[in-house]
Amino acid sequence: MKRKNAWNYYSPEERKRVEDISRAYCHFLDCSKTERECAAAAIKLARSRGYRNLETIKEAKEPLRPGDKVYACQMDKTVALFQIGTEPFEKGINILGAHIDSPRIDIKQIPLYEEQGHAYLDTHYYGGVKKYQWLALPLAIHGVVVRKDGTKVEIKLGEKEKDPVFVITDLLPHLGRELGEKKVKDFINAEKMDLLIGNLPAEPEEVKKNLGKKDSEFANGEVSEETEKVKMTILKLLREQYQIKEEDFISAELEVVPAGKARDCGLDRSMILGYGQDDRSCAFTSLLALLELKMAKRTSCCLLVDKEEVGSTGATGMRSKFFENTVAELMELCQDYSELKVRRALSNSKMLSSDVSAAYDPMFDEYYERKNSAYLANGLVFNKYSGSGGKSGGNDANAEYMAELRQMMEKHKVIIQTAELGAVDKGGGGTIAYLMADYGMDVIDCGIPVLSMHAPWEVSSKADIYEALKGYLAFLKEA
């Protein structure tokens, strides 16, 4: 198969379109560093294009008709958006499914402590990270704190120019000879990846006022004059700036992410460097494709799910019944519901599991098989199968479905490539594809090649972002 560098095929007008989409994409990345933020950003965009909340429609007992645009949200972390088609649901749905969680550092439920004059937040990493990559980086805190009375405080600290940032410290090389001999996985103990957040002791008046104060604002019911003056400063700031107490961390979801905006990468500005491109690159292009879609025969769906990086578990992961239940609700509102018809709808559906692929990296050539690798700027990637080793734990799409997709992409002049995730026995991975395949529908992994996947900063090609949008839109129109 001859590969094509997409940049060689663009007119000046298309190059401008590529830049416009890339700017919108970078803004989306900056607004969507957590799954909650990503879900909120997706809903905001959808509402601006006429999408309405399913719950509101249900309460009004309003019937749905072809052309109606609806979204449903699960726990502020998973979103399903639908454009109702002219054909009955049981004929199947065209689905673009991406995940909106990314590897990161989470803050524990009892996190705040002081050690030798430094205040820290205790952490637990999330997803497949290389722990050493998170040391000595400027970091931000995003998330929510829910007080006992149910009121919610949204936190986003470290992104504005005048905001403070945070850091997980590293050991200087002068003392690190022993560490340098360890394996990468053992280089840093996960329990030592705590976030440095303060070093300023409280003023004497503040110490005097709070000493012996038996209040859950303070650790162990009191603050020690000798050991917790810095912690006292942190608690005072939390109380003054956010009206939260120490005990409120128990009902908080706070995520530590790289501080800073997505940027053009390369002297030629052909690439994008940003956090969370696995898998928000595919989430953005899937969402945009649905929003740009005009009336289609089959109902079209963009599904943005949480928890893929940790096995798709929980109420907001793909293993939950959220998607299936939402389809049932929509069919009821279309006055076409039965349990059998729901099963037929899911079985007759077609899906692109919109997830990134590993881009070939010449610096690590031995981990790839060149003929079957994805390359930056070579277009939308189709991974016929996933898994690891002997394709274990993955999805394997039918040849007939692959042929159908090839025809679609050729018709709409989408530049495509095929790949697998690295050389055989070098690794591999899975997506949400195999979970949706359980319904009996046609599913294939299809996304954007990314360099430095799962690192705090990942690299994608602007051309691939554009080709993904074209390809996803072609799928919704033609499948």
Side-chain angles (χ1 to χ4, degrees):
M1 177 179 174
K2 184 179 179 181
R3 297 186 177 276
K4 297 179 179 179
N5 188 304
W7 291 110
N8 294 329
Y9 297 85
Y10 295 152
S11 66
E13 292 75 21
E14 277 189 299
R15 285 185 177 243
K16 184 180 183 304
R17 173 78 167 143
V18 170
E19 287 300 326
D20 290 343
I21 291 168
S22 296
R23 279 196 296 273
Y25 170 55
C26 286
H27 177 70
F28 182 82
L29 287 178
D30 295 339
C31 296
S32 306
K33 288 193 175 182
T34 71
E35 62 280 12
R36 284 177 181 264
E37 292 173 356
C38 195
I43 289 170
K44 183 179 179 180
L45 273 172
R47 288 175 65 89
S48 72
R49 303 289 185 94
Y51 280 76
R52 296 181 295 156
N53 193 330
L54 176 60
E55 292 302 317
T56 303
I57 295 169
K58 283 165 54 181
E59 288 175 9
K61 297 181 180 179
E62 180 183 342
L64 289 176
R65 296 181 176 85
D68 283 347
K69 300 172 181 179
V70 184
Y71 73 86
C73 187
Q74 174 82 336
M75 297 182 179
D76 296 333
K77 300 177 189 176
T78 289
V79 185
L81 305 102
F82 295 83
Q83 185 181 125
I84 309 301
T86 56
E87 290 185 346
F89 264 86
E90 66 178 305
K91 292 290 184 81
I93 308 167
N94 291 343
I95 306 166
L96 297 171
H99 68 90
I100 55 176
D101 61 319
S102 293
R104 60 177 188 260
I105 309 293
D106 282 346
I107 291 173
K108 292 183 180 181
Q109 262 44 66
I110 303 177
L112 182 58
Y113 70 98
E114 181 176 336
E115 185 68 41
Q116 299 300 315
H118 299 113
Y120 294 94
L121 291 177
D122 203 356
T123 69
H124 190 142
Y125 67 90
Y126 173 96
V129 304
K130 291 180 179 177
K131 297 189 286 290
Y132 72 87
Q133 292 180 328
W134 289 78
L135 307 182
L137 283 180
L139 299 170
I141 299 174
H142 291 228
V144 296
V145 179
V146 184
R147 303 185 190 94
K148 194 160 47 179
D149 64 2
T151 56
K152 187 182 297 184
V153 183
E154 294 188 2
I155 306 289
K156 184 185 286 190
L157 190 57
E159 300 294 353
K160 295 179 181 177
E161 186 177 347
K162 294 186 178 181
D163 278 355
V165 293
F166 310 94
V167 71
I168 299 169
T169 55
D170 194 5
L171 183 66
L172 65 163
H174 309 71
L175 301 178
R177 291 179 184 174
E178 184 178 317
L179 279 181
E181 295 172 0
K182 290 188 175 183
K183 293 182 178 180
V184 169
K185 67 182 182 67
D186 301 321
F187 183 81
I188 179 73
N189 184 334
E191 288 290 357
K192 298 291 185 181
M193 293 180 66
D194 292 347
L195 196 68
L196 180 63
I197 63 165
N199 183 237
L200 180 67
E203 297 288 341
E205 295 79 11
E206 186 74 14
V207 174
K208 185 176 180 181
K209 183 174 70 175
N210 290 299
L211 273 181
K213 192 173 184 179
K214 296 188 179 299
D215 190 296
S216 58
E217 291 179 52
F218 304 109
N220 306 317
E222 62 182 50
V223 174
S224 164
E225 181 178 8
E226 297 302 320
T227 62
E228 296 190 303
K229 291 182 181 179
V230 178
K231 179 179 175 180
M232 192 180 296
T233 297
I234 299 300
L235 289 169
K236 181 173 182 285
L237 291 170
L238 290 172
R239 189 168 60 248
E240 291 175 350
Q241 296 179 19
Y242 299 103
Q243 295 77 53
I244 58 177
K245 300 178 180 180
E246 185 178 12
E247 66 179 13
D248 292 326
F249 281 114
I250 294 173
S251 50
E253 290 179 1
L254 296 172
E255 302 175 14
V256 179
V257 298
K261 294 184 175 182
R263 303 279 295 275
D264 282 353
C265 181
L267 197 59
D268 56 4
R269 297 181 177 269
S270 62
M271 299 167 287
I272 293 170
L273 181 73
Y275 166 69
Q277 297 197 71
D278 175 13
D279 185 36
R280 294 179 190 124
S281 58
C282 296
F284 172 77
T285 45
S286 295
L287 174 64
L288 204 57
L290 182 66
L291 298 184
E292 291 189 2
L293 180 70
K294 307 302 180 186
M295 175 67 74
K297 287 184 179 180
R298 283 160 64 99
T299 293
S300 299
C301 171
C302 174
L303 180 60
L304 307 176
V305 298
D306 182 27
K307 295 292 185 288
E308 191 273 348
E309 297 292 359
V310 291
S312 297
T313 53
T316 57
M318 195 65 251
R319 293 180 189 272
S320 79
K321 299 296 184 184
F322 166 69
F323 177 71
E324 184 177 332
N325 292 343
T326 302
V327 170
E329 294 279 9
L330 293 173
M331 293 179 70
E332 175 70 16
L333 291 169
C334 288
Q335 302 174 336
D336 194 29
Y337 171 81
S338 75
E339 184 178 347
L340 180 58
K341 286 184 176 180
V342 171
R343 293 186 183 189
R344 286 174 179 167
L346 295 171
S347 176
N348 291 329
S349 293
K350 295 180 186 294
M351 180 180 181
L352 297 184
S353 173
S354 310
D355 208 339
V356 298
S357 189
Y360 172 78
D361 190 337
M363 299 297 103
F364 300 96
D365 175 76
E366 64 272 26
Y367 294 93
Y368 298 84
E369 195 268 284
R370 293 187 185 187
K371 296 189 304 300
N372 289 286
S373 290
Y375 292 79
L376 286 190
N378 279 209
L380 183 61
V381 184
F382 285 90
N383 291 78
K384 183 180 182 297
Y385 51 83
S386 54
S388 59
K391 303 183 182 179
S392 176
N395 176 67
D396 198 340
N398 285 341
E400 291 84 352
Y401 186 41
M402 185 72 231
E404 180 185 347
L405 291 166
R406 288 173 60 198
Q407 189 177 50
M408 287 179 208
M409 298 301 132
E410 184 175 320
K411 178 179 176 180
H412 289 268
K413 299 181 180 179
V414 180
I415 296 172
I416 67 169
Q417 55 183 320
T418 62
E420 59 184 46
L421 193 63
V424 177
D425 287 338
K426 289 294 185 183
T431 65
I432 63 172
Y434 74 101
L435 296 168
M436 298 297 275
D438 284 348
Y439 291 114
M441 67 176 73
D442 279 320
V443 186
I444 190 169
D445 286 301
C446 174
I448 292 162
V450 170
L451 288 170
S452 302
M453 191 191 300
H454 282 211
W457 298 100
E458 299 166 316
V459 180
S460 66
S461 166
K462 293 178 178 180
D464 295 328
I465 299 292
Y466 178 58
E467 293 301 323
L469 173 58
K470 287 168 55 183
Y472 293 158
L473 189 53
F475 167 79
L476 292 179
K477 290 177 177 177
E478 301 290 342

